[in-house]
Amino acid sequence: MDFSEPGRVQGFRETVREFMKKEVYPLEPRLRREGFGALLPDLKQTRARAKETGLWAAHLPPEWGGAGLSLVEFAHLSEELGRSPLGHYLFNVQAPDVGNMELLLSHGTDEHKDRWLRPLVRGDIRSCFTMTEPEFPGSNPVWMGTTAKKEDGAWVIRGHKWFSTAADGAAFAVCMAVTNPEAAPHRRASMILVPTTTPGFELVGNISVMGHRGADHQSHGEVMYHGARVPLANLLGQEGSGFELAQARLGAGRVHHCMRWIGICERAFDILCKHAVTRQLAPGDFLGSRQLVQQSVAESRAEIDSARLMVLHAAWTIEQKGTSAARDEISLIKFTVARTLQRVLDRAIQTLGALGLTDETPLAFWWAHERGARIYDGADEVHISSVARRILRRYGGEQ
């Protein structure tokens, strides 16, 4: 297996690294002190400069305004951008927009693309994805209470959603709702496009997560559908294909997430190592403290490198064989990288001591915002159980 990076990958990695140093990292102290909303005027200008790199919306084909990166190539880009909480947003590849763009491109009608995809790609609007419900466990996504019924030539949607990332300020939502309650479990739901200005669509508010409500694209909204009425033409894909579309969206999406987490790990690792070589030991500090830090450095380096190889292999498998054939690889990276992220962040915070708990570095921000990595898009336990069952079936088991 060839582990060298193609020249194209090396080129855009260097471009993004320089852009991050010059344009992005200097904005982070204000982000931590003042919040995302206060930075919007500066971010708008920085996004304009990001477009000039040729890596804007890089996951999309050039004819749609993207850079046409393959999934493996985009994985490398996602790692570089993941080193800052602002990276993905500045290059218009942030969740959930990145997945919604892919959905609209592959399953949207010409009308959908003109109305929603084109402005989303330009960065003129943002979107959200409403699927998770507080009344039902996310570990069983087919268990859903939100319904969409055909009434007088329209979909009428009623239900309750939460953890709808970036609902605050979104122009439209992709809503997962039960349209065929009598169908087989995975054929009951459909995806429907709902403008957030639709009467009956209510953003109840942003959920407080570990003491922070967030705003704009860094928020997690609670949404109510009070009989929101949209045209039948707002159906995305085929009726009853909601879970099929969701799986296709999540396959590549989990690669995006995992490489972003590796980018966070690399930044945390840099912070850990720089602190370790510059800090002064207190008088009488014993040799064991150095050895503990060395252990953190070595274990973090090994885990990050291992996780990266797993994710790149999963991305390669998706490209070569399709999402369905890569189910094991996708499940394995989801819980492995999420755990790696938590361990690396914890070691970095512990090494910095009290400083690691402050907002002088991004470590505390990431600790609070990324703990959910082991829960969203399928909890660790779900992925562990599902991949183990599939493996054991190949040995003749009925697990």
Side-chain angles (χ1 to χ4, degrees):
M1 181 178 290
D2 185 359
F3 291 100
S4 62
E5 290 183 357
R8 185 186 190 192
V9 172
Q10 292 177 359
F12 70 64
R13 269 190 180 273
E14 292 174 5
T15 297
V16 172
R17 282 175 183 166
E18 286 304 310
F19 188 90
M20 299 283 278
K21 290 177 184 177
K22 180 181 178 182
E23 302 278 0
V24 183
Y25 296 146
L27 293 172
E28 289 184 355
R30 284 188 59 204
L31 173 69
R32 296 193 289 271
R33 289 194 310 267
E34 304 171 35
F36 181 82
L39 266 68
L40 280 175
D42 292 322
L43 294 179
K44 184 177 181 180
Q45 296 177 14
T46 309
R47 287 187 117 197
R49 291 190 288 273
K51 287 184 180 181
E52 297 173 1
T53 67
L55 293 167
W56 180 262
H59 61 299
L60 294 178
E63 59 267 27
W64 282 94
L69 299 191
S70 69
L71 183 57
V72 173
E73 290 173 330
F74 184 80
H76 289 286
L77 176 66
S78 191
E79 177 184 344
E80 292 297 334
L81 297 178
R83 292 170 179 255
S84 170
L86 296 170
H88 284 73
Y89 173 76
L90 290 171
F91 283 77
N92 201 25
V93 288
Q94 70 283 354
D97 291 330
V98 64
N100 290 345
M101 289 182 208
E102 291 172 338
L103 274 178
L104 286 164
L105 183 61
S106 59
H107 293 90
T109 65
D110 289 341
E111 181 183 354
H112 295 162
K113 293 172 182 176
D114 287 339
R115 182 174 179 184
W116 287 297
L117 178 57
R118 293 185 189 280
L120 198 58
V121 175
R122 291 195 300 267
D124 295 339
I125 63 172
R126 292 189 293 100
S127 64
C128 64
F129 191 83
T130 60
M131 179 173 178
T132 306
E133 302 183 359
E135 294 83 7
F136 299 98
S139 58
N140 184 5
V142 300
W143 199 5
M144 186 179 302
T146 299
T147 61
K149 297 181 180 179
K150 295 178 182 177
E151 297 181 11
D152 300 324
W155 293 109
V156 179
I157 306 172
R158 295 180 175 86
H160 185 193
K161 303 288 189 178
W162 74 339
F163 280 90
S164 301
T165 301
D168 183 4
F172 71 93
V174 179
C175 177
M176 277 279 283
V178 175
T179 53
N180 307 76
E182 306 304 320
H186 286 88
R187 299 298 300 177
R188 291 175 185 163
S190 302
M191 289 189 183
I192 300 172
L193 299 164
V194 183
T196 55
T197 55
T198 303
F201 178 96
E202 179 192 4
L203 175 59
V204 178
N206 293 331
I207 301 165
S208 178
V209 179
M210 292 194 174
H212 301 277
R213 289 194 179 276
D216 297 278
H217 94 289
Q218 292 184 331
S219 65
H220 302 286
E222 180 182 2
V223 171
M224 294 292 299
Y225 288 96
H226 304 287
R229 180 181 292 268
V230 298
L232 295 179
N234 283 25
L235 179 71
L236 189 58
Q238 300 298 313
E239 188 173 338
S241 66
F243 288 107
E244 179 183 341
L245 269 61
Q247 281 304 112
R249 180 183 188 274
L250 288 172
R254 284 172 180 142
V255 170
H256 298 174
H257 275 312
C258 287
M259 288 303 281
R260 178 175 65 84
W261 297 338
I262 290 171
I264 293 172
C265 287
E266 287 288 9
R267 180 84 180 280
F269 185 77
D270 285 345
I271 294 170
L272 184 164
C273 292
K274 289 175 181 176
H275 183 79
V277 299
T278 57
R279 72 188 185 117
Q280 291 190 6
L281 296 178
D285 203 353
F286 58 96
L287 180 61
S289 65
R290 283 197 179 93
Q291 293 174 332
L292 290 172
V293 171
Q294 291 167 358
Q295 181 175 341
S296 292
V297 170
E299 289 182 346
S300 295
R301 184 72 271 155
E303 291 178 9
I304 295 169
D305 289 352
S306 300
R308 179 186 293 106
L309 291 174
M310 287 183 68
V311 181
L312 292 175
H313 178 254
W316 178 87
T317 304
I318 292 171
E319 283 189 344
Q320 299 296 318
K321 302 178 182 179
T323 302
S324 181
R327 289 176 69 195
D328 287 1
E329 287 81 359
I330 293 169
S331 287
L332 289 168
I333 63 171
K334 175 59 176 64
F335 71 82
T336 299
V337 185
R339 291 179 172 190
T340 297
L341 171 64
Q342 188 176 4
R343 287 193 294 266
V344 172
L345 282 173
D346 188 68
R347 292 185 190 116
I349 290 171
Q350 193 71 17
T351 300
L352 268 66
L355 175 62
L357 302 177
T358 72
D359 287 331
E360 295 301 310
T361 78
L363 296 176
F365 173 90
W366 276 322
W367 176 261
H369 283 258
E370 300 297 344
R371 175 58 181 84
R374 294 184 56 201
I375 298 172
Y376 61 72
D377 282 357
D380 283 5
E381 294 82 359
V382 174
H383 284 285
I384 290 169
S385 178
S386 62
V387 73
R389 287 200 307 269
R390 289 194 297 270
I391 292 171
L392 292 173
R393 283 194 203 106
R394 295 197 283 270
Y395 284 85
E398 295 293 333
Q399 306 296 323

mmCIF file of all heavy atoms in Angstrom, residues 132-168:
data_model
loop_
_atom_site.group_PDB
_atom_site.id
_atom_site.type_symbol
_atom_site.label_atom_id
_atom_site.label_comp_id
_atom_site.label_asym_id
_atom_site.label_seq_id
_atom_site.Cartn_x
_atom_site.Cartn_y
_atom_site.Cartn_z
ATOM 1 N N THR A 132 -33.453 13.982 15.086
ATOM 2 C CA THR A 132 -33.493 13.481 16.461
ATOM 3 C C THR A 132 -34.680 14.071 17.217
ATOM 4 O O THR A 132 -35.010 15.252 17.062
ATOM 5 C CB THR A 132 -32.187 13.840 17.184
ATOM 6 O OG1 THR A 132 -31.090 13.357 16.413
ATOM 7 C CG2 THR A 132 -32.138 13.215 18.569
ATOM 8 N N GLU A 133 -35.297 13.252 18.069
ATOM 9 C CA GLU A 133 -36.458 13.683 18.836
ATOM 10 C C GLU A 133 -36.241 13.405 20.321
ATOM 11 O O GLU A 133 -35.734 12.329 20.685
ATOM 12 C CB GLU A 133 -37.720 12.966 18.352
ATOM 13 C CG GLU A 133 -38.005 13.203 16.881
ATOM 14 C CD GLU A 133 -39.287 12.559 16.388
ATOM 15 O OE1 GLU A 133 -39.977 11.895 17.203
ATOM 16 O OE2 GLU A 133 -39.609 12.715 15.202
ATOM 17 N N PRO A 134 -36.627 14.340 21.197
ATOM 18 C CA PRO A 134 -36.396 14.138 22.633
ATOM 19 C C PRO A 134 -37.229 13.014 23.232
ATOM 20 O O PRO A 134 -36.861 12.456 24.271
ATOM 21 C CB PRO A 134 -36.768 15.494 23.249
ATOM 22 C CG PRO A 134 -37.658 16.146 22.248
ATOM 23 C CD PRO A 134 -37.207 15.662 20.911
ATOM 24 N N GLU A 135 -38.342 12.684 22.587
ATOM 25 C CA GLU A 135 -39.228 11.655 23.152
ATOM 26 C C GLU A 135 -38.791 10.232 22.829
ATOM 27 O O GLU A 135 -39.331 9.272 23.392
ATOM 28 C CB GLU A 135 -40.671 11.858 22.635
ATOM 29 C CG GLU A 135 -41.334 13.129 23.115
ATOM 30 C CD GLU A 135 -40.971 14.353 22.286
ATOM 31 O OE1 GLU A 135 -40.289 14.180 21.249
ATOM 32 O OE2 GLU A 135 -41.354 15.469 22.680
ATOM 33 N N PHE A 136 -37.833 10.079 21.914
ATOM 34 C CA PHE A 136 -37.425 8.740 21.476
ATOM 35 C C PHE A 136 -35.905 8.618 21.500
ATOM 36 O O PHE A 136 -35.198 9.595 21.243
ATOM 37 C CB PHE A 136 -37.938 8.462 20.059
ATOM 38 C CG PHE A 136 -39.427 8.503 19.940
ATOM 39 C CD1 PHE A 136 -40.066 9.649 19.480
ATOM 40 C CD2 PHE A 136 -40.203 7.412 20.299
ATOM 41 C CE1 PHE A 136 -41.447 9.702 19.373
ATOM 42 C CE2 PHE A 136 -41.587 7.454 20.188
ATOM 43 C CZ PHE A 136 -42.207 8.602 19.728
ATOM 44 N N PRO A 137 -35.397 7.426 21.793
ATOM 45 C CA PRO A 137 -33.935 7.259 21.848
ATOM 46 C C PRO A 137 -33.302 7.352 20.469
ATOM 47 O O PRO A 137 -33.769 6.714 19.519
ATOM 48 C CB PRO A 137 -33.765 5.854 22.448
ATOM 49 C CG PRO A 137 -35.030 5.131 22.087
ATOM 50 C CD PRO A 137 -36.109 6.170 22.116
ATOM 51 N N GLY A 138 -32.239 8.136 20.373
ATOM 52 C CA GLY A 138 -31.539 8.257 19.107
ATOM 53 C C GLY A 138 -30.862 6.972 18.670
ATOM 54 O O GLY A 138 -30.489 6.826 17.510
ATOM 55 N N SER A 139 -30.693 6.027 19.599
ATOM 56 C CA SER A 139 -30.059 4.755 19.255
ATOM 57 C C SER A 139 -30.940 3.902 18.352
ATOM 58 O O SER A 139 -30.466 2.937 17.754
ATOM 59 C CB SER A 139 -29.730 3.979 20.532
ATOM 60 O OG SER A 139 -30.906 3.758 21.297
ATOM 61 N N ASN A 140 -32.233 4.243 18.253
ATOM 62 C CA ASN A 140 -33.142 3.517 17.375
ATOM 63 C C ASN A 140 -33.855 4.530 16.487
ATOM 64 O O ASN A 140 -34.984 4.943 16.774
ATOM 65 C CB ASN A 140 -34.157 2.709 18.188
ATOM 66 C CG ASN A 140 -35.054 1.851 17.303
ATOM 67 O OD1 ASN A 140 -34.867 1.784 16.087
ATOM 68 N ND2 ASN A 140 -36.026 1.208 17.907
ATOM 69 N N PRO A 141 -33.211 4.978 15.399
ATOM 70 C CA PRO A 141 -33.745 6.088 14.610
ATOM 71 C C PRO A 141 -35.068 5.793 13.912
ATOM 72 O O PRO A 141 -35.759 6.728 13.504
ATOM 73 C CB PRO A 141 -32.631 6.368 13.592
ATOM 74 C CG PRO A 141 -31.866 5.087 13.511
ATOM 75 C CD PRO A 141 -31.930 4.485 14.878
ATOM 76 N N VAL A 142 -35.429 4.513 13.736
ATOM 77 C CA VAL A 142 -36.712 4.223 13.082
ATOM 78 C C VAL A 142 -37.888 4.526 13.999
ATOM 79 O O VAL A 142 -39.035 4.584 13.563
ATOM 80 C CB VAL A 142 -36.788 2.753 12.605
ATOM 81 C CG1 VAL A 142 -35.682 2.458 11.616
ATOM 82 C CG2 VAL A 142 -36.737 1.783 13.769
ATOM 83 N N TRP A 143 -37.595 4.717 15.275
ATOM 84 C CA TRP A 143 -38.637 5.054 16.240
ATOM 85 C C TRP A 143 -38.775 6.573 16.241
ATOM 86 O O TRP A 143 -37.972 7.284 16.823
ATOM 87 C CB TRP A 143 -38.233 4.534 17.619
ATOM 88 C CG TRP A 143 -39.375 4.419 18.584
ATOM 89 C CD1 TRP A 143 -40.700 4.622 18.342
ATOM 90 C CD2 TRP A 143 -39.272 4.055 19.960
ATOM 91 N NE1 TRP A 143 -41.436 4.423 19.474
ATOM 92 C CE2 TRP A 143 -40.586 4.076 20.489
ATOM 93 C CE3 TRP A 143 -38.215 3.732 20.794
ATOM 94 C CZ2 TRP A 143 -40.858 3.770 21.825
ATOM 95 C CZ3 TRP A 143 -38.486 3.427 22.121
ATOM 96 C CH2 TRP A 143 -39.792 3.442 22.620
ATOM 97 N N MET A 144 -39.797 7.069 15.586
ATOM 98 C CA MET A 144 -39.927 8.497 15.333
ATOM 99 C C MET A 144 -41.392 8.911 15.426
ATOM 100 O O MET A 144 -42.281 8.197 14.939
ATOM 101 C CB MET A 144 -39.369 8.801 13.931
ATOM 102 C CG MET A 144 -39.298 10.256 13.561
ATOM 103 S SD MET A 144 -38.599 10.435 11.897
ATOM 104 C CE MET A 144 -37.011 9.634 12.086
ATOM 105 N N GLY A 145 -41.650 10.052 16.055
ATOM 106 C CA GLY A 145 -43.019 10.497 16.238
ATOM 107 C C GLY A 145 -43.478 11.560 15.262
ATOM 108 O O GLY A 145 -44.686 11.767 15.079
ATOM 109 N N THR A 146 -42.557 12.259 14.618
ATOM 110 C CA THR A 146 -42.930 13.322 13.681
ATOM 111 C C THR A 146 -43.570 12.719 12.438
ATOM 112 O O THR A 146 -43.049 11.761 11.857
ATOM 113 C CB THR A 146 -41.691 14.141 13.285
ATOM 114 O OG1 THR A 146 -41.140 14.731 14.467
ATOM 115 C CG2 THR A 146 -42.038 15.231 12.291
ATOM 116 N N THR A 147 -44.697 13.286 12.025
ATOM 117 C CA THR A 147 -45.422 12.772 10.862
ATOM 118 C C THR A 147 -45.573 13.854 9.801
ATOM 119 O O THR A 147 -45.589 15.050 10.100
ATOM 120 C CB THR A 147 -46.825 12.274 11.250
ATOM 121 O OG1 THR A 147 -47.582 13.372 11.786
ATOM 122 C CG2 THR A 147 -46.743 11.162 12.278
ATOM 123 N N ALA A 148 -45.682 13.413 8.564
ATOM 124 C CA ALA A 148 -45.993 14.297 7.439
ATOM 125 C C ALA A 148 -47.120 13.633 6.657
ATOM 126 O O ALA A 148 -46.952 12.536 6.117
ATOM 127 C CB ALA A 148 -44.768 14.514 6.566
ATOM 128 N N LYS A 149 -48.263 14.281 6.630
ATOM 129 C CA LYS A 149 -49.443 13.718 5.965
ATOM 130 C C LYS A 149 -49.832 14.582 4.773
ATOM 131 O O LYS A 149 -49.695 15.816 4.803
ATOM 132 C CB LYS A 149 -50.599 13.622 6.958
ATOM 133 C CG LYS A 149 -50.328 12.685 8.129
ATOM 134 C CD LYS A 149 -51.525 12.618 9.075
ATOM 135 C CE LYS A 149 -51.249 11.673 10.235
ATOM 136 N NZ LYS A 149 -52.396 11.602 11.189
ATOM 137 N N LYS A 150 -50.331 13.923 3.755
ATOM 138 C CA LYS A 150 -50.804 14.637 2.566
ATOM 139 C C LYS A 150 -52.209 15.173 2.842
ATOM 140 O O LYS A 150 -53.132 14.401 3.114
ATOM 141 C CB LYS A 150 -50.824 13.714 1.359
ATOM 142 C CG LYS A 150 -49.444 13.238 0.922
ATOM 143 C CD LYS A 150 -49.544 12.272 -0.254
ATOM 144 C CE LYS A 150 -48.170 11.744 -0.657
ATOM 145 N NZ LYS A 150 -48.261 10.751 -1.758
ATOM 146 N N GLU A 151 -52.334 16.479 2.769
ATOM 147 C CA GLU A 151 -53.632 17.116 2.981
ATOM 148 C C GLU A 151 -53.796 18.242 1.963
ATOM 149 O O GLU A 151 -53.016 19.193 1.954
ATOM 150 C CB GLU A 151 -53.744 17.686 4.404
ATOM 151 C CG GLU A 151 -53.682 16.641 5.500
ATOM 152 C CD GLU A 151 -53.810 17.245 6.888
ATOM 153 O OE1 GLU A 151 -54.153 18.445 6.979
ATOM 154 O OE2 GLU A 151 -53.557 16.526 7.886
ATOM 155 N N ASP A 152 -54.800 18.102 1.085
ATOM 156 C CA ASP A 152 -55.109 19.148 0.098
ATOM 157 C C ASP A 152 -53.885 19.549 -0.723
ATOM 158 O O ASP A 152 -53.589 20.740 -0.896
ATOM 159 C CB ASP A 152 -55.700 20.388 0.799
ATOM 160 C CG ASP A 152 -56.989 20.070 1.552
ATOM 161 O OD1 ASP A 152 -57.763 19.234 1.051
ATOM 162 O OD2 ASP A 152 -57.189 20.642 2.636
ATOM 163 N N GLY A 153 -53.172 18.546 -1.213
ATOM 164 C CA GLY A 153 -52.047 18.800 -2.107
ATOM 165 C C GLY A 153 -50.799 19.333 -1.450
ATOM 166 O O GLY A 153 -49.953 19.957 -2.111
ATOM 167 N N ALA A 154 -50.658 19.096 -0.139
ATOM 168 C CA ALA A 154 -49.469 19.574 0.567
ATOM 169 C C ALA A 154 -49.079 18.567 1.642
ATOM 170 O O ALA A 154 -49.889 17.733 2.057
ATOM 171 C CB ALA A 154 -49.724 20.948 1.190
ATOM 172 N N TRP A 155 -47.813 18.648 2.079
ATOM 173 C CA TRP A 155 -47.376 17.904 3.255
ATOM 174 C C TRP A 155 -47.680 18.754 4.482
ATOM 175 O O TRP A 155 -47.333 19.930 4.522
ATOM 176 C CB TRP A 155 -45.875 17.634 3.214
ATOM 177 C CG TRP A 155 -45.404 16.701 2.143
ATOM 178 C CD1 TRP A 155 -44.685 17.025 1.027
ATOM 179 C CD2 TRP A 155 -45.598 15.284 2.105
ATOM 180 N NE1 TRP A 155 -44.426 15.905 0.284
ATOM 181 C CE2 TRP A 155 -44.969 14.818 0.920
ATOM 182 C CE3 TRP A 155 -46.242 14.376 2.934
ATOM 183 C CZ2 TRP A 155 -44.973 13.483 0.550
ATOM 184 C CZ3 TRP A 155 -46.239 13.038 2.576
ATOM 185 C CH2 TRP A 155 -45.614 12.600 1.406
ATOM 186 N N VAL A 156 -48.315 18.155 5.459
ATOM 187 C CA VAL A 156 -48.569 18.834 6.722
ATOM 188 C C VAL A 156 -47.774 18.108 7.801
ATOM 189 O O VAL A 156 -48.010 16.923 8.066
ATOM 190 C CB VAL A 156 -50.065 18.868 7.063
ATOM 191 C CG1 VAL A 156 -50.283 19.567 8.406
ATOM 192 C CG2 VAL A 156 -50.848 19.587 5.966
ATOM 193 N N ILE A 157 -46.824 18.809 8.397
ATOM 194 C CA ILE A 157 -45.846 18.185 9.288
ATOM 195 C C ILE A 157 -46.131 18.582 10.733
ATOM 196 O O ILE A 157 -46.299 19.764 11.053
ATOM 197 C CB ILE A 157 -44.416 18.616 8.903
ATOM 198 C CG1 ILE A 157 -44.167 18.331 7.413
ATOM 199 C CG2 ILE A 157 -43.378 17.894 9.765
ATOM 200 C CD1 ILE A 157 -42.864 18.905 6.896
ATOM 201 N N ARG A 158 -46.158 17.563 11.584
ATOM 202 C CA ARG A 158 -46.354 17.786 13.019
ATOM 203 C C ARG A 158 -45.328 16.948 13.784
ATOM 204 O O ARG A 158 -45.175 15.749 13.508
ATOM 205 C CB ARG A 158 -47.769 17.394 13.449
ATOM 206 C CG ARG A 158 -48.858 18.254 12.836
ATOM 207 C CD ARG A 158 -50.256 17.830 13.306
ATOM 208 N NE ARG A 158 -51.275 18.748 12.808
ATOM 209 C CZ ARG A 158 -51.860 18.649 11.621
ATOM 210 N NH1 ARG A 158 -51.529 17.646 10.807
ATOM 211 N NH2 ARG A 158 -52.781 19.528 11.243
ATOM 212 N N GLY A 159 -44.629 17.578 14.704
ATOM 213 C CA GLY A 159 -43.653 16.823 15.483
ATOM 214 C C GLY A 159 -42.721 17.725 16.261
ATOM 215 O O GLY A 159 -42.815 18.957 16.214
ATOM 216 N N HIS A 160 -41.793 17.077 16.964
ATOM 217 C CA HIS A 160 -40.892 17.748 17.893
ATOM 218 C C HIS A 160 -39.480 17.225 17.637
ATOM 219 O O HIS A 160 -39.236 16.018 17.677
ATOM 220 C CB HIS A 160 -41.337 17.437 19.334
ATOM 221 C CG HIS A 160 -40.572 18.164 20.391
ATOM 222 N ND1 HIS A 160 -40.649 17.812 21.729
ATOM 223 C CD2 HIS A 160 -39.727 19.221 20.326
ATOM 224 C CE1 HIS A 160 -39.893 18.631 22.440
ATOM 225 N NE2 HIS A 160 -39.313 19.484 21.621
ATOM 226 N N LYS A 161 -38.548 18.123 17.361
ATOM 227 C CA LYS A 161 -37.161 17.758 17.088
ATOM 228 C C LYS A 161 -36.232 18.523 18.022
ATOM 229 O O LYS A 161 -36.571 19.596 18.522
ATOM 230 C CB LYS A 161 -36.792 18.086 15.637
ATOM 231 C CG LYS A 161 -37.677 17.434 14.573
ATOM 232 C CD LYS A 161 -37.437 15.945 14.452
ATOM 233 C CE LYS A 161 -38.174 15.362 13.248
ATOM 234 N NZ LYS A 161 -37.916 13.907 13.093
ATOM 235 N N TRP A 162 -35.041 17.968 18.226
ATOM 236 C CA TRP A 162 -34.031 18.716 18.964
ATOM 237 C C TRP A 162 -32.646 18.315 18.491
ATOM 238 O O TRP A 162 -32.494 17.426 17.648
ATOM 239 C CB TRP A 162 -34.201 18.576 20.472
ATOM 240 C CG TRP A 162 -33.806 17.250 21.087
ATOM 241 C CD1 TRP A 162 -33.686 16.034 20.474
ATOM 242 C CD2 TRP A 162 -33.477 17.034 22.462
ATOM 243 N NE1 TRP A 162 -33.313 15.075 21.362
ATOM 244 C CE2 TRP A 162 -33.179 15.652 22.607
ATOM 245 C CE3 TRP A 162 -33.406 17.855 23.581
ATOM 246 C CZ2 TRP A 162 -32.811 15.090 23.826
ATOM 247 C CZ3 TRP A 162 -33.041 17.285 24.790
ATOM 248 C CH2 TRP A 162 -32.755 15.919 24.906
ATOM 249 N N PHE A 163 -31.630 18.998 19.016
ATOM 250 C CA PHE A 163 -30.250 18.849 18.551
ATOM 251 C C PHE A 163 -30.177 18.998 17.035
ATOM 252 O O PHE A 163 -29.469 18.258 16.349
ATOM 253 C CB PHE A 163 -29.647 17.530 19.027
ATOM 254 C CG PHE A 163 -29.171 17.617 20.459
ATOM 255 C CD1 PHE A 163 -30.020 17.294 21.510
ATOM 256 C CD2 PHE A 163 -27.900 18.062 20.758
ATOM 257 C CE1 PHE A 163 -29.610 17.412 22.832
ATOM 258 C CE2 PHE A 163 -27.474 18.195 22.071
ATOM 259 C CZ PHE A 163 -28.324 17.870 23.116
ATOM 260 N N SER A 164 -30.918 19.992 16.550
ATOM 261 C CA SER A 164 -30.891 20.333 15.124
ATOM 262 C C SER A 164 -29.784 21.371 14.933
ATOM 263 O O SER A 164 -30.006 22.578 15.087
ATOM 264 C CB SER A 164 -32.250 20.882 14.689
ATOM 265 O OG SER A 164 -33.267 19.920 14.920
ATOM 266 N N THR A 165 -28.606 20.882 14.623
ATOM 267 C CA THR A 165 -27.435 21.754 14.531
ATOM 268 C C THR A 165 -27.654 22.852 13.500
ATOM 269 O O THR A 165 -28.117 22.591 12.390
ATOM 270 C CB THR A 165 -26.198 20.932 14.155
ATOM 271 O OG1 THR A 165 -25.989 19.933 15.148
ATOM 272 C CG2 THR A 165 -24.963 21.812 14.061
ATOM 273 N N ALA A 166 -27.357 24.078 13.909
ATOM 274 C CA ALA A 166 -27.397 25.253 13.042
ATOM 275 C C ALA A 166 -28.809 25.659 12.636
ATOM 276 O O ALA A 166 -28.986 26.399 11.670
ATOM 277 C CB ALA A 166 -26.543 25.045 11.798
ATOM 278 N N ALA A 167 -29.823 25.217 13.365
ATOM 279 C CA ALA A 167 -31.186 25.670 13.070
ATOM 280 C C ALA A 167 -31.302 27.183 13.257
ATOM 281 O O ALA A 167 -32.091 27.843 12.582
ATOM 282 C CB ALA A 167 -32.191 24.941 13.956
ATOM 283 N N ASP A 168 -30.536 27.728 14.181
ATOM 284 C CA ASP A 168 -30.512 29.168 14.431
ATOM 285 C C ASP A 168 -29.916 29.881 13.216
ATOM 286 O O ASP A 168 -28.726 29.790 12.948
ATOM 287 C CB ASP A 168 -29.676 29.444 15.687
ATOM 288 C CG ASP A 168 -29.649 30.914 16.077
ATOM 289 O OD1 ASP A 168 -30.333 31.721 15.434
ATOM 290 O OD2 ASP A 168 -28.927 31.245 17.032
#
